[in-house]
């Protein structure tokens, strides 16, 4: 791009299921310096972008536009055709983000807030959710980015939005190392997932069961497993090979997740140790434990204890 050529404006269309977190996502984007337009009549998108491009600002602020099934005249097929045409423009960089959420979790959120679903009428909330999911299916399939917030708290969604859309200096790599429990669902946004269920499970030791991977006794127990040290070393070496290559390719964010059954012992300990190893190698990982506060439960661990 020549020095006298205006920078392309970043435009993010934010849509998805009602209750999946659009308002939260837009609020975070605003904190990150994006201009926000919510509940926008998407049929007027061309006029909005034309008005912005006529300004004298050579470095326009990124623009996030929120819309959903409540928008007047909402038609996913028409929106897709409209946005396809806009992607041909050289003055904007257009991306579509779709926020999804499991139907059961959406129903729980509606019941918790006592709000009516706009497509349900006098029918149960579940009816409105099914109708909305069917309506939005083409847009969901077509969107550039999909974030499933089923297992997210509000803080989780805020973190993911910051990771995906905060401005970064070229070459900067943001690394997140997390732990989770497979019995409570896969992490929806991890780039690399490592399954630590081959390690002997501290859950079956009555003394260690109420503890977590942040406790020394649990760590000592895991280290005694003959497979742990070699596996950890190989994973660490793989990450130290991959992370600089991701950075060289311009990737801004990498999320590395370690899983075990319940997400309280093996995955937590491994994530803690890997975070320390990456810091020693010069990275600055953020450490997250999705299920650390979950209760220990035999049914989640699954099956009977293996006889010694």
């Amino acid at each position: 791009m020549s020095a006298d050529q205006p920078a392309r404006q970043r435009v993010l269309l934010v849509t998805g299921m009602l209750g999946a977190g659009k308002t939260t996502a837009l609020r975070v984007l605003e904190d990150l310096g994006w201009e926000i337009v919510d509940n926008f009549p998407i049929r007027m998108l061309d006029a909005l972008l034309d008005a912005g491009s006529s300004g004298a600002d050579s470095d326009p602020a990124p623009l996030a536009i929120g819309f959903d099934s409540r928008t007047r005249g909402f038609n996913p097929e028409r929106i897709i055709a409209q946005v396809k045409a806009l992607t041909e423009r050289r003055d904007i960089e257009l991306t579509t983000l779709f926020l999804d959420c499991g139907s059961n979790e959406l129903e729980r959120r509606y019941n918790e807030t006592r709000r009516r679903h706009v497509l349900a009428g006098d029918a149960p909330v579940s009816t409105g959710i099914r109708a909305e999911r069917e309506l939005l299916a083409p847009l969901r399939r077509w969107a550039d980015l999909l974030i499933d917030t089923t297992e997210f708290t509000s803080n989780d969604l805020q973190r993911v939005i910051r990771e995906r859309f905060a401005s970064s200096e070229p070459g900067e790599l943001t690394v997140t190392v997390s732990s989770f429990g497979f019995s409570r669902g896969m992490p929806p946004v991890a780039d690399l997932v490592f399954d630590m269920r081959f390690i002997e499970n501290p859950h079956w030791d009555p003394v260690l069961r109420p503890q977590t991977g942040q406790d020394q006794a649990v760590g000592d127990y895991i280290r005694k497993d003959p497979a742990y040290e070699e596996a950890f070393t190989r994973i660490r070496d793989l990450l130290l090979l991959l992370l600089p290559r991701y950075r060289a390719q311009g990737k801004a964010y990498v999320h590395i997740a370690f899983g075990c059954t319940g997400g309280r012992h093996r995955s937590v300990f491994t994530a803690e140790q890997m975070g320390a190893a990456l810091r020693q190698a010069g990275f600055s990982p953020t450490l997250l434990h999705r299920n650390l506060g979950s209760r220990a439960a035999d049914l989640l661990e699954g099956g009977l204890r293996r006889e010694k």
Side-chain angles (χ1 to χ4, degrees), residues 6 15 27 70 79 119 125 186 218 221 245 248 261 290 292:
T15 188
R27 188 185 308 124
R70 296 169 296 183
I79 292 170
L119 299 183
V125 170
M186 289 282 290
V218 173
Y221 182 97
R245 290 176 175 267
T261 305
R290 192 187 75 182
L292 185 61

Side-chain angles (χ1 to χ4, degrees), residues 37-287:
V37 182
D38 196 8
N39 299 320
F40 184 75
I42 201 66
R43 65 184 183 279
M44 299 176 62
L45 180 58
D46 297 76
L48 175 66
L49 296 179
D50 287 339
S53 64
S54 63
D57 191 353
S58 61
D59 190 16
L63 174 65
I65 301 170
F67 63 96
D68 53 46
S69 57
R70 296 169 296 183
T71 302
R72 184 178 179 182
F74 182 83
N75 184 305
E77 287 83 2
R78 191 178 302 160
I79 292 170
I80 291 171
Q82 182 180 6
V83 174
K84 281 183 177 178
L86 287 171
T87 57
E88 301 298 322
R89 290 178 52 160
R90 296 184 177 182
D91 59 332
I92 60 174
E93 180 183 338
L94 191 65
T95 305
T96 302
L97 167 64
F98 190 98
L99 295 167
D100 201 359
C101 183
S103 296
N104 290 338
E105 174 61 16
L106 284 174
E107 188 171 352
R108 185 195 67 78
R109 294 177 187 180
Y110 271 95
N111 290 335
E112 193 173 75
T113 59
R114 299 183 180 180
R115 293 176 57 199
R116 286 182 174 272
H117 194 289
V118 294
L119 299 183
D122 295 330
V125 170
S126 58
T127 301
I129 293 173
R130 283 195 300 271
E132 183 188 14
R133 195 172 296 284
E134 182 177 352
L135 175 66
L136 294 180
L139 195 54
R140 184 186 190 278
R141 290 192 298 267
W142 184 81
D144 302 292
L145 298 173
L146 172 68
I147 297 178
D148 188 325
T149 67
T150 305
E151 300 289 339
F152 281 13
T153 64
S154 177
N155 287 338
D156 291 334
L157 178 56
Q158 292 178 47
R159 173 183 56 79
V160 170
I161 295 297
R162 289 183 184 278
E163 288 181 352
R164 298 267 178 166
F165 299 106
S167 298
S168 299
E169 293 299 323
E172 183 180 349
L173 183 66
T174 299
V175 179
T176 300
V177 178
S178 71
S179 68
F180 71 95
F182 280 100
S183 59
R184 295 177 168 90
M186 289 282 290
V189 292
D191 298 291
L192 300 166
V193 177
F194 296 95
D195 185 350
M196 304 308 295
R197 288 176 292 185
F198 63 89
I199 301 295
E200 193 70 25
N201 193 350
H203 172 85
W204 298 118
D205 185 318
V207 175
L208 300 179
R209 184 174 304 173
Q211 300 184 47
T212 74
Q214 293 179 324
D215 293 306
Q216 182 174 345
V218 173
D220 292 342
Y221 182 97
I222 292 172
R223 286 186 184 279
K224 289 179 182 178
D225 190 301
Y228 175 77
E229 290 295 343
E230 182 178 357
F232 179 88
T233 300
R234 291 192 179 196
I235 295 171
R236 180 202 63 197
D237 292 347
L238 174 63
L239 294 178
L240 294 180
L241 170 68
L242 295 179
L243 292 178
R245 290 176 175 267
Y246 284 141
R247 181 165 51 196
Q249 292 297 322
K251 189 172 176 64
Y253 307 98
V254 176
H255 181 178
I256 305 158
F258 293 93
C260 61
T261 305
R264 301 182 69 252
H265 296 107
R266 294 165 290 181
S267 61
V268 171
F269 177 74
T270 307
E272 292 273 349
Q273 295 300 305
M274 193 60 68
L278 293 179
R279 279 191 290 273
Q280 188 175 5
F283 296 94
S284 301
T286 299
L287 198 60

